[in-house]
């Protein structure tokens, strides 16, 4: 095992499957439009590809395409999830959650105080 590096943070990032890289290559080189700008041909091509991907992912998970959100990262995903919480609904989190959850949740008008058991000890 000497000299062998074992990467243990696949929760944060993972190597990309070569099949994914191959499928994505055209979108880094040829089909590079802004999918949100469908007023031009580049954007329409990108938008069509995105919607095809949304349908494929939805089929895989057996959900409806509008239920699939593509995001750029975890903070954006967390933000979408927080915005889905409706008035009167409960949202439970902990002090150890990422700040992209804790900071907005603590700012909500009815945010309850943290329970002592969820507080970090001086040693973390
Ligand atoms: C639980 C959690 N939320 C949010 C983030 C922030 O991720 P991003 O930089 O993709 O917004 C991280 C990053 O490590 C995380 O672990």
């Amino acid at each position: 095992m000497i000299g062998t590096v074992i990467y243990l943070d696949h929760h944060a990032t993972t190597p990309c499957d070569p099949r994914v890289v191959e499928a994505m290559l055209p979108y880094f080189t040829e089909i590079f439009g802004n999918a949100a700008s469908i007023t031009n041909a580049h954007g329409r091509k990108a938008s069509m590809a995105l919607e095809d991907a949304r349908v494929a992912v939805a089929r895989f998970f057996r959900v409806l395409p509008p239920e699939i959100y593509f995001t750029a990262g975890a903070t954006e995903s967390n933000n979408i999830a927080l915005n889905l919480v409706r008035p009167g609904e409960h949202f439970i989190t902990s002090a150890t959650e990422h700040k992209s959850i804790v900071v907005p949740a603590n700012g909500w008008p009815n945010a309850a105080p943290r329970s002592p058991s969820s507080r970090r000890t001086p040693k973390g």
Side-chain angles (χ1 to χ4, degrees):
M1 290 294 273
I2 293 175
T4 301
V5 175
I6 300 173
Y7 184 79
L8 295 175
D9 200 11
H10 283 254
H11 184 65
T13 187
T14 56
C16 207
D17 187 307
R19 292 168 297 181
V20 174
V21 173
E22 190 184 336
M24 285 302 298
L25 271 179
Y27 300 98
F28 294 117
T29 54
E30 300 154 31
I31 309 169
F32 53 86
N34 177 355
S37 290
I38 54 172
T39 53
N40 61 74
H42 282 75
R44 279 192 294 276
K45 273 189 182 177
S47 176
M48 282 167 54
L50 191 62
E51 292 315 311
D52 286 349
R54 194 184 313 279
V55 168
V57 172
R59 277 197 188 130
F60 180 83
F61 287 109
R62 297 173 192 226
V63 298
L64 296 172
E67 294 177 281
I68 300 297
Y69 293 76
F70 293 120
T71 65
T75 299
E76 189 183 350
S77 304
N78 289 344
N79 212 271
I80 290 170
L82 287 172
N83 279 307
L84 291 175
V85 180
R86 297 282 155 248
E89 291 181 342
H90 288 96
F91 181 83
I92 299 171
T93 187
S94 76
T96 59
E97 182 52 88
H98 191 266
K99 65 183 176 185
S100 64
I101 288 284
V102 171
V103 172
N106 276 339
W108 286 356
N110 295 327
R114 294 179 190 155
S115 73
S117 60
S118 70
R119 291 209 174 110
R120 292 182 181 186
T121 66
K123 289 186 177 179

